[in-house]
Amino acid sequence: MLKIGVLALQGAVSEHIRSLESAGAEAVAVKRTEELQDLHGLVIPGGESTTIGKLMRKYGFMDAVRDFAAQGKPVFGTCAGLIILASEIEGQEEAHLGLMNMTVARNAFGRQRESFETDLDVKGIDNPIRAVFIRAPLIKSVGAGVEVLSTYKGEIVTARQGRFLAASYHPELTDDYRLHAYFLEMAKEAAASKA
Amino acid sequence: METGTSRVKRGMAEMQKGGVIMDVMNAEQAKVAEAAGATAVMALERVPSDIRAAGGVARMADPTIVEEVMKVVSIPVMAKARIGHYVEAKVLESMGVDYIDESEVLTPADEIFHISKNEFTIPFVCGAKDLGEALRRIQEGAAMLRTKGEPGTGNIVEAVRHLRLINGQIRKIQGLSKDELYNEAKLLGVPYDLLLGVHETGKLPVVNFAAGGVATPSDAALMMHLGADGVFVGSGIFKSDSPEKFARAIVEATTHYQDYKLIAEVSKNLGTPMKGIEISKLNAAERMQDRGI
């Protein structure tokens, strides 16, 4: 069975664990870099990207997750996790992991009163998924190697670059596990190509 | 496209889990809180310990303070409205505050009715000291709960009491038979459907943070150990000797609440925490937790 970690420094960890388990994986919370070792993939959850970024730096996760990714293991970021994955953040000098070649804008829809849910078509998934956007970021532009999987009102909200997947919204807040299943397929391919 | 759904409101609180929400009184403190890793700030005119000291009627903060804080941080900004004060809450909503705390720290505007929170697009957090209060607030539309504790005392004992009571009550509800649940709903004064949900899932349908008396990194970790989803720190940070250090230490202790060596490390040389108050020294009128039940 695939074993997927959910970075558990802050944010909606238990929701991702539940979604991953429902999609058929073993899921564990990751608080220390050593715990990355035997994983087939990592989810960086929604939360506050400033807090998660700060704690990742403090506990050595920046290098550890870059090493993890360099081994060809997949990483999936939702909302704050998407910001952590981006190579550039509008209005900020420093990016976090910088693994995905894209520029993102934080709180791109406005404040909490502008948060919403909607049906969203995602390339590779048959019917629309219910997407919950909470003070959500947007992908303003993507660079080489990044495939756009979905847009909302012309703006990019889901993207994939090789073994990295990013969503502006929160698939973990619904009972629809298809995006998690999509990520598990990525993890399965990665594990197979390694073997 | 729908805004203000229960999933959007409760989901916002879920994104705060494992985090620390800090009371701030101005832009400068808000920046300190954000830099220390706070997941949100609560913009106030006075922290609870100052409200206690000042006496008189405590109201919603001057909108200038809230606006100033909203301008300087990118994390969510919360603000407090008096219990039952619909208009203060509407004012805060109109300003674009991200979360409203209908709070017993302020002097209640209504001794019977809470705000009908379902009517708002932005979410509310409310205090609760037992399961009855918790489920009544959820029925009114609260999308997040916190223990009441005893605000502004720097004494964790009441927050511990409230969280243990709620969790103990949840365990008891889980063990009841369905026919016993009807009577329990009556005794607690809560809707049967919400109680049935607790019976089936063994948990509250919204996030429950600790609040009211957290003064040290160990206090924050204790509340996480007891099952809190995260921590509010009111007077504990900016009434301590070194707010920046306290703020950072409380954030780390909340994340790594089971790593006692780390908590020891971050607790070193923090200076003096806020001065505490023994709960038995408070007279009935000074007990904020008894407001809004």
mmCIF file of all heavy atoms in Angstrom, chain B residues 57-60 80-89 102-115 291-292:
data_model
loop_
_atom_site.group_PDB
_atom_site.id
_atom_site.type_symbol
_atom_site.label_atom_id
_atom_site.label_comp_id
_atom_site.label_asym_id
_atom_site.label_seq_id
_atom_site.Cartn_x
_atom_site.Cartn_y
_atom_site.Cartn_z
ATOM 1 N N VAL B 57 -17.753 49.400 31.006
ATOM 2 C CA VAL B 57 -18.316 48.621 29.900
ATOM 3 C C VAL B 57 -17.256 48.450 28.811
ATOM 4 O O VAL B 57 -16.702 49.440 28.320
ATOM 5 C CB VAL B 57 -19.569 49.326 29.327
ATOM 6 C CG1 VAL B 57 -20.051 48.604 28.074
ATOM 7 C CG2 VAL B 57 -20.662 49.379 30.375
ATOM 8 N N ALA B 58 -16.996 47.214 28.425
ATOM 9 C CA ALA B 58 -16.048 46.953 27.339
ATOM 10 C C ALA B 58 -16.826 46.701 26.057
ATOM 11 O O ALA B 58 -17.740 45.884 26.028
ATOM 12 C CB ALA B 58 -15.187 45.746 27.679
ATOM 13 N N ARG B 59 -16.456 47.421 24.983
ATOM 14 C CA ARG B 59 -17.205 47.358 23.724
ATOM 15 C C ARG B 59 -16.306 46.930 22.570
ATOM 16 O O ARG B 59 -15.107 46.784 22.741
ATOM 17 C CB ARG B 59 -17.792 48.745 23.409
ATOM 18 C CG ARG B 59 -18.524 49.376 24.575
ATOM 19 C CD ARG B 59 -19.042 50.758 24.204
ATOM 20 N NE ARG B 59 -19.764 51.373 25.324
ATOM 21 C CZ ARG B 59 -19.187 52.157 26.243
ATOM 22 N NH1 ARG B 59 -17.898 52.434 26.171
ATOM 23 N NH2 ARG B 59 -19.900 52.657 27.234
ATOM 24 N N MET B 60 -16.903 46.797 21.383
ATOM 25 C CA MET B 60 -16.140 46.567 20.148
ATOM 26 C C MET B 60 -15.028 47.626 20.051
ATOM 27 O O MET B 60 -15.219 48.763 20.469
ATOM 28 C CB MET B 60 -17.097 46.723 18.960
ATOM 29 C CG MET B 60 -16.445 46.650 17.597
ATOM 30 S SD MET B 60 -17.630 47.007 16.265
ATOM 31 C CE MET B 60 -17.682 48.804 16.301
ATOM 32 N N LYS B 80 -13.615 41.355 17.993
ATOM 33 C CA LYS B 80 -14.658 40.956 18.943
ATOM 34 C C LYS B 80 -15.869 41.871 18.894
ATOM 35 O O LYS B 80 -15.738 43.094 18.839
ATOM 36 C CB LYS B 80 -14.103 40.992 20.375
ATOM 37 C CG LYS B 80 -13.116 39.883 20.694
ATOM 38 C CD LYS B 80 -12.738 39.959 22.168
ATOM 39 C CE LYS B 80 -11.490 39.170 22.500
ATOM 40 N NZ LYS B 80 -11.673 37.717 22.412
ATOM 41 N N ALA B 81 -17.051 41.249 18.963
ATOM 42 C CA ALA B 81 -18.299 41.981 19.157
ATOM 43 C C ALA B 81 -18.884 41.526 20.487
ATOM 44 O O ALA B 81 -18.622 40.408 20.934
ATOM 45 C CB ALA B 81 -19.273 41.673 18.023
ATOM 46 N N ARG B 82 -19.690 42.401 21.114
ATOM 47 C CA ARG B 82 -20.328 42.011 22.364
ATOM 48 C C ARG B 82 -21.372 40.923 22.115
ATOM 49 O O ARG B 82 -22.004 40.885 21.053
ATOM 50 C CB ARG B 82 -21.030 43.230 22.981
ATOM 51 C CG ARG B 82 -20.066 44.138 23.713
ATOM 52 C CD ARG B 82 -20.794 45.327 24.295
ATOM 53 N NE ARG B 82 -20.786 46.447 23.359
ATOM 54 C CZ ARG B 82 -21.389 47.608 23.606
ATOM 55 N NH1 ARG B 82 -22.082 47.781 24.714
ATOM 56 N NH2 ARG B 82 -21.311 48.587 22.732
ATOM 57 N N ILE B 83 -21.564 40.044 23.095
ATOM 58 C CA ILE B 83 -22.589 39.007 22.981
ATOM 59 C C ILE B 83 -23.935 39.675 22.709
ATOM 60 O O ILE B 83 -24.327 40.607 23.414
ATOM 61 C CB ILE B 83 -22.641 38.152 24.271
ATOM 62 C CG1 ILE B 83 -21.383 37.281 24.369
ATOM 63 C CG2 ILE B 83 -23.907 37.280 24.292
ATOM 64 C CD1 ILE B 83 -21.246 36.527 25.683
ATOM 65 N N GLY B 84 -24.598 39.214 21.654
ATOM 66 C CA GLY B 84 -25.921 39.731 21.320
ATOM 67 C C GLY B 84 -25.918 41.068 20.589
ATOM 68 O O GLY B 84 -26.976 41.593 20.253
ATOM 69 N N HIS B 85 -24.741 41.624 20.311
ATOM 70 C CA HIS B 85 -24.709 42.945 19.652
ATOM 71 C C HIS B 85 -24.626 42.775 18.137
ATOM 72 O O HIS B 85 -23.549 42.824 17.529
ATOM 73 C CB HIS B 85 -23.549 43.784 20.176
ATOM 74 C CG HIS B 85 -23.816 45.257 20.088
ATOM 75 N ND1 HIS B 85 -24.247 45.863 18.924
ATOM 76 C CD2 HIS B 85 -23.751 46.255 21.017
ATOM 77 C CE1 HIS B 85 -24.408 47.162 19.141
ATOM 78 N NE2 HIS B 85 -24.126 47.429 20.405
ATOM 79 N N TYR B 86 -25.782 42.597 17.524
ATOM 80 C CA TYR B 86 -25.919 42.383 16.083
ATOM 81 C C TYR B 86 -25.236 43.489 15.283
ATOM 82 O O TYR B 86 -24.556 43.239 14.287
ATOM 83 C CB TYR B 86 -27.408 42.318 15.764
ATOM 84 C CG TYR B 86 -27.767 42.134 14.308
ATOM 85 C CD1 TYR B 86 -27.842 40.865 13.754
ATOM 86 C CD2 TYR B 86 -28.083 43.234 13.509
ATOM 87 C CE1 TYR B 86 -28.196 40.699 12.431
ATOM 88 C CE2 TYR B 86 -28.435 43.073 12.180
ATOM 89 C CZ TYR B 86 -28.486 41.797 11.632
ATOM 90 O OH TYR B 86 -28.828 41.638 10.323
ATOM 91 N N VAL B 87 -25.406 44.721 15.734
ATOM 92 C CA VAL B 87 -24.881 45.841 14.942
ATOM 93 C C VAL B 87 -23.353 45.911 14.995
ATOM 94 O O VAL B 87 -22.711 46.119 13.955
ATOM 95 C CB VAL B 87 -25.534 47.183 15.358
ATOM 96 C CG1 VAL B 87 -24.847 48.361 14.670
ATOM 97 C CG2 VAL B 87 -27.021 47.164 14.995
ATOM 98 N N GLU B 88 -22.773 45.695 16.163
ATOM 99 C CA GLU B 88 -21.297 45.657 16.193
ATOM 100 C C GLU B 88 -20.786 44.596 15.212
ATOM 101 O O GLU B 88 -19.816 44.835 14.486
ATOM 102 C CB GLU B 88 -20.786 45.345 17.614
ATOM 103 C CG GLU B 88 -20.846 46.533 18.552
ATOM 104 C CD GLU B 88 -20.176 46.292 19.910
ATOM 105 O OE1 GLU B 88 -19.800 45.134 20.223
ATOM 106 O OE2 GLU B 88 -20.036 47.264 20.673
ATOM 107 N N ALA B 89 -21.446 43.439 15.186
ATOM 108 C CA ALA B 89 -21.015 42.363 14.283
ATOM 109 C C ALA B 89 -21.187 42.781 12.820
ATOM 110 O O ALA B 89 -20.317 42.517 11.979
ATOM 111 C CB ALA B 89 -21.796 41.087 14.581
ATOM 112 N N GLU B 102 -17.763 36.505 19.016
ATOM 113 C CA GLU B 102 -18.851 37.025 19.856
ATOM 114 C C GLU B 102 -18.448 36.672 21.279
ATOM 115 O O GLU B 102 -18.635 35.539 21.721
ATOM 116 C CB GLU B 102 -20.191 36.370 19.482
ATOM 117 C CG GLU B 102 -21.366 36.959 20.243
ATOM 118 C CD GLU B 102 -22.700 36.289 19.909
ATOM 119 O OE1 GLU B 102 -22.721 35.172 19.353
ATOM 120 O OE2 GLU B 102 -23.745 36.909 20.216
ATOM 121 N N SER B 103 -17.889 37.666 21.969
ATOM 122 C CA SER B 103 -17.038 37.323 23.108
ATOM 123 C C SER B 103 -17.517 37.819 24.463
ATOM 124 O O SER B 103 -17.889 38.980 24.622
ATOM 125 C CB SER B 103 -15.638 37.882 22.849
ATOM 126 O OG SER B 103 -14.805 37.634 23.959
ATOM 127 N N GLU B 104 -17.415 36.907 25.444
ATOM 128 C CA GLU B 104 -17.722 37.230 26.827
ATOM 129 C C GLU B 104 -16.672 38.144 27.460
ATOM 130 O O GLU B 104 -16.871 38.633 28.576
ATOM 131 C CB GLU B 104 -17.872 35.935 27.643
ATOM 132 C CG GLU B 104 -16.588 35.120 27.837
ATOM 133 C CD GLU B 104 -16.176 34.283 26.635
ATOM 134 O OE1 GLU B 104 -16.850 34.349 25.586
ATOM 135 O OE2 GLU B 104 -15.155 33.577 26.749
ATOM 136 N N VAL B 105 -15.561 38.375 26.758
ATOM 137 C CA VAL B 105 -14.548 39.300 27.278
ATOM 138 C C VAL B 105 -15.117 40.730 27.278
ATOM 139 O O VAL B 105 -14.795 41.543 28.139
ATOM 140 C CB VAL B 105 -13.267 39.222 26.412
ATOM 141 C CG1 VAL B 105 -12.322 40.369 26.719
ATOM 142 C CG2 VAL B 105 -12.586 37.879 26.640
ATOM 143 N N LEU B 106 -15.977 41.015 26.305
ATOM 144 C CA LEU B 106 -16.652 42.313 26.269
ATOM 145 C C LEU B 106 -17.923 42.215 27.127
ATOM 146 O O LEU B 106 -18.438 41.130 27.379
ATOM 147 C CB LEU B 106 -17.008 42.695 24.831
ATOM 148 C CG LEU B 106 -15.843 42.701 23.834
ATOM 149 C CD1 LEU B 106 -16.329 43.130 22.456
ATOM 150 C CD2 LEU B 106 -14.719 43.610 24.309
ATOM 151 N N THR B 107 -18.449 43.344 27.524
ATOM 152 C CA THR B 107 -19.662 43.358 28.345
ATOM 153 C C THR B 107 -20.855 42.966 27.467
ATOM 154 O O THR B 107 -21.073 43.591 26.423
ATOM 155 C CB THR B 107 -19.901 44.773 28.905
ATOM 156 O OG1 THR B 107 -18.674 45.235 29.472
ATOM 157 C CG2 THR B 107 -20.982 44.768 29.966
ATOM 158 N N PRO B 108 -21.612 41.939 27.851
ATOM 159 C CA PRO B 108 -22.720 41.511 26.980
ATOM 160 C C PRO B 108 -23.719 42.646 26.710
ATOM 161 O O PRO B 108 -24.009 43.451 27.599
ATOM 162 C CB PRO B 108 -23.383 40.392 27.772
ATOM 163 C CG PRO B 108 -22.320 39.879 28.669
ATOM 164 C CD PRO B 108 -21.470 41.062 29.024
ATOM 165 N N ALA B 109 -24.222 42.665 25.465
ATOM 166 C CA ALA B 109 -25.239 43.648 25.109
ATOM 167 C C ALA B 109 -26.628 43.048 25.312
ATOM 168 O O ALA B 109 -27.627 43.757 25.299
ATOM 169 C CB ALA B 109 -25.069 44.057 23.654
ATOM 170 N N ASP B 110 -26.678 41.726 25.441
ATOM 171 C CA ASP B 110 -27.960 41.047 25.568
ATOM 172 C C ASP B 110 -27.765 39.889 26.548
ATOM 173 O O ASP B 110 -26.855 39.081 26.362
ATOM 174 C CB ASP B 110 -28.384 40.510 24.185
ATOM 175 C CG ASP B 110 -29.843 40.078 24.155
ATOM 176 O OD1 ASP B 110 -30.281 39.419 25.118
ATOM 177 O OD2 ASP B 110 -30.525 40.378 23.155
ATOM 178 N N GLU B 111 -28.580 39.845 27.580
ATOM 179 C CA GLU B 111 -28.369 38.811 28.599
ATOM 180 C C GLU B 111 -29.090 37.512 28.267
ATOM 181 O O GLU B 111 -28.934 36.524 28.974
ATOM 182 C CB GLU B 111 -28.789 39.342 29.970
ATOM 183 C CG GLU B 111 -27.823 40.432 30.432
ATOM 184 C CD GLU B 111 -28.071 40.872 31.860
ATOM 185 O OE1 GLU B 111 -29.230 40.795 32.303
ATOM 186 O OE2 GLU B 111 -27.105 41.300 32.514
ATOM 187 N N ILE B 112 -29.885 37.505 27.211
ATOM 188 C CA ILE B 112 -30.616 36.290 26.854
ATOM 189 C C ILE B 112 -30.198 35.759 25.482
ATOM 190 O O ILE B 112 -29.856 34.596 25.334
ATOM 191 C CB ILE B 112 -32.139 36.535 26.881
ATOM 192 C CG1 ILE B 112 -32.557 36.926 28.304
ATOM 193 C CG2 ILE B 112 -32.885 35.269 26.433
ATOM 194 C CD1 ILE B 112 -33.971 37.406 28.421
ATOM 195 N N PHE B 113 -30.222 36.635 24.482
ATOM 196 C CA PHE B 113 -30.034 36.157 23.110
ATOM 197 C C PHE B 113 -28.638 36.425 22.570
ATOM 198 O O PHE B 113 -28.106 37.523 22.726
ATOM 199 C CB PHE B 113 -31.062 36.814 22.187
ATOM 200 C CG PHE B 113 -32.474 36.539 22.617
ATOM 201 C CD1 PHE B 113 -33.247 37.532 23.208
ATOM 202 C CD2 PHE B 113 -33.023 35.276 22.457
ATOM 203 C CE1 PHE B 113 -34.544 37.279 23.619
ATOM 204 C CE2 PHE B 113 -34.324 35.016 22.868
ATOM 205 C CZ PHE B 113 -35.090 36.022 23.451
ATOM 206 N N HIS B 114 -28.099 35.412 21.899
ATOM 207 C CA HIS B 114 -26.861 35.615 21.143
ATOM 208 C C HIS B 114 -27.212 36.136 19.745
ATOM 209 O O HIS B 114 -28.377 36.141 19.341
ATOM 210 C CB HIS B 114 -26.094 34.301 21.031
ATOM 211 C CG HIS B 114 -25.275 33.983 22.244
ATOM 212 N ND1 HIS B 114 -25.834 33.601 23.427
ATOM 213 C CD2 HIS B 114 -23.933 34.005 22.449
ATOM 214 C CE1 HIS B 114 -24.879 33.393 24.321
ATOM 215 N NE2 HIS B 114 -23.714 33.636 23.747
ATOM 216 N N ILE B 115 -26.219 36.544 19.012
ATOM 217 C CA ILE B 115 -26.417 36.998 17.630
ATOM 218 C C ILE B 115 -26.829 35.791 16.780
ATOM 219 O O ILE B 115 -26.293 34.687 16.957
ATOM 220 C CB ILE B 115 -25.106 37.598 17.075
ATOM 221 C CG1 ILE B 115 -24.698 38.832 17.899
ATOM 222 C CG2 ILE B 115 -25.240 37.956 15.598
ATOM 223 C CD1 ILE B 115 -23.288 39.326 17.608
ATOM 224 N N ARG B 291 -20.795 34.759 31.538
ATOM 225 C CA ARG B 291 -21.602 35.562 30.611
ATOM 226 C C ARG B 291 -21.990 34.738 29.388
ATOM 227 O O ARG B 291 -21.160 34.015 28.835
ATOM 228 C CB ARG B 291 -20.787 36.763 30.132
ATOM 229 C CG ARG B 291 -20.383 37.706 31.252
ATOM 230 C CD ARG B 291 -19.296 38.639 30.756
ATOM 231 N NE ARG B 291 -19.082 39.744 31.684
ATOM 232 C CZ ARG B 291 -18.159 40.688 31.487
ATOM 233 N NH1 ARG B 291 -17.386 40.662 30.414
ATOM 234 N NH2 ARG B 291 -18.025 41.659 32.355
ATOM 235 N N GLY B 292 -23.241 34.893 28.927
ATOM 236 C CA GLY B 292 -23.657 34.288 27.656
ATOM 237 C C GLY B 292 -23.643 32.773 27.658
ATOM 238 O O GLY B 292 -22.782 32.162 27.052
#
